[in-house]
Amino acid sequence: MRYKWSGILIFLVLCLVVSNLLENTSILTGFPFGHYYYTDGFGPKLFQVPLLVGFAYFPGYSAWVLATVLIGDIDRKSSAFTTFAVPFIASFGMVANDLGLDPTLSTINHVYIWEQGGGYFGVPFTNYAGWLFTAYVLFQLFALFLRLRRTDSKEEASAFPKSYYAQAIIVFAVVGLAYVVAYLSGSGDTLVTDAMGVVWHTRSIAEGEATVIIFTMIFMAALSAVKLLQRSAVATSISSETGSGETTAREVSPTLK
């Protein structure tokens, strides 16, 4: 509804192409994620990267929506700052989810192996720097597409009810809460060994993931929810004052559109 089928298909294609290109590059050269390789846990591969990995980037759309709530919509009239800021903030949302995902998939489930291990439960810092870079490239290309395309979604987006944005916020928060629930409901603790021979407790990994997620994903969802409620309150106030003829130019701020 917001970007039409053309926009969603472009976003999906960007997810598939950017992720496969940069992950294959990293497996071969170490840039941008570091040195790792995939086992057969994700099924068929395109070169060195499973086909499913590209689709795993697609839910990052919820991080994109949260970034537009915090910064603003992108269309042909958007400023250069907004066109840069939305992808930048959305990228951190993508990385936040990966902070809860990678230690389990890598160190515990061995879906992919970090050849030199890493300090974050067997995952290196370079992985998250690579995620930030890759997500930014993906989102920035999508932002440029929205900025340059002929169809302007500004009027369409402004007509959406707040529940549209609330859906993305709820989805983002629920994904984050899943890590917390997994930790609180889990009782077992086993030992796992990464590629460098470092031994980790699975219970500690779950606790670390839950702790990080609370202050990244859930914080971002909470911040977006507050921003959405703030806009609703301001809109209601302006509407009320307009009805009473008391609205001033200062109160109708362009930043609250």
Side-chain angles (χ1 to χ4, degrees):
M1 291 175 63
R2 187 178 188 184
Y3 297 124
K4 306 302 182 185
W5 279 108
S6 60
I8 294 301
L9 288 175
I10 288 295
F11 187 80
L12 177 58
V13 169
L14 287 173
C15 288
L16 297 175
V17 173
V18 172
S19 64
N20 191 271
L21 176 63
L22 290 180
E23 292 218 22
N24 270 295
T25 300
S26 189
I27 290 173
L28 295 174
T29 69
F31 175 84
F33 297 95
H35 293 281
Y36 68 103
Y37 63 90
Y38 281 95
T39 60
D40 296 328
F42 267 6
K45 301 175 182 178
L46 179 59
F47 303 111
Q48 303 295 320
V49 180
L51 293 172
L52 288 178
V53 169
F55 291 97
Y57 282 74
F58 189 69
Y61 179 74
S62 59
W64 171 269
V65 176
L66 265 63
T68 63
V69 170
L70 294 171
I71 307 299
D73 291 314
I74 293 181
D75 52 47
R76 296 184 67 189
K77 298 179 181 179
S78 297
S79 66
F81 174 81
T82 300
T83 305
F84 163 79
V86 169
F88 182 67
I89 296 301
S91 300
F92 281 90
M94 283 276 282
V95 176
N97 182 41
D98 201 52
L99 284 165
L101 192 65
D102 263 345
T104 294
L105 288 182
S106 176
T107 306
I108 297 178
N109 296 334
H110 301 299
V111 173
Y112 36 89
I113 305 296
W114 292 101
E115 298 176 1
Q116 299 172 342
Y120 182 60
F121 303 111
V123 182
F125 169 80
T126 54
N127 172 63
Y128 300 106
W131 259 94
L132 188 66
F133 174 76
T134 302
Y136 173 73
V137 170
L138 161 64
F139 287 132
Q140 188 63 74
L141 290 173
F142 186 58
L144 292 174
F145 161 75
L146 295 176
R147 179 89 180 275
L148 298 175
R149 73 172 181 171
R150 292 178 178 276
T151 302
D152 193 341
S153 63
K154 184 175 183 179
E155 290 77 11
E156 299 163 1
S158 64
F160 288 162
K162 295 298 183 291
S163 59
Y164 164 81
Y165 301 97
Q167 290 177 64
I169 295 173
I170 291 171
V171 167
F172 200 78
V174 168
V175 171
L177 286 171
Y179 296 104
V180 180
V181 171
Y183 164 64
L184 295 177
S185 62
S187 57
D189 185 21
T190 59
L191 299 178
V192 292
T193 305
D194 64 22
M196 293 297 291
V198 179
V199 179
W200 305 92
H201 286 264
T202 56
R203 182 67 175 165
S204 296
I205 292 176
E207 181 179 359
E209 290 174 338
T211 301
V212 170
I213 287 297
I214 288 173
F215 299 103
T216 54
M217 285 192 76
I218 296 177
F219 167 73
M220 188 171 177
L223 185 63
S224 300
V226 170
K227 184 68 173 181
L228 195 62
L229 291 172
Q230 180 188 42
R231 290 182 177 182
S232 297
V234 171
T236 301
S237 176
I238 290 177
S239 177
S240 176
E241 292 172 355
T242 300
S244 61
E246 297 177 357
T247 305
T248 66
R250 178 183 61 83
E251 291 167 333
V252 185
S253 171
T255 60
L256 299 176
K257 289 183 180 179

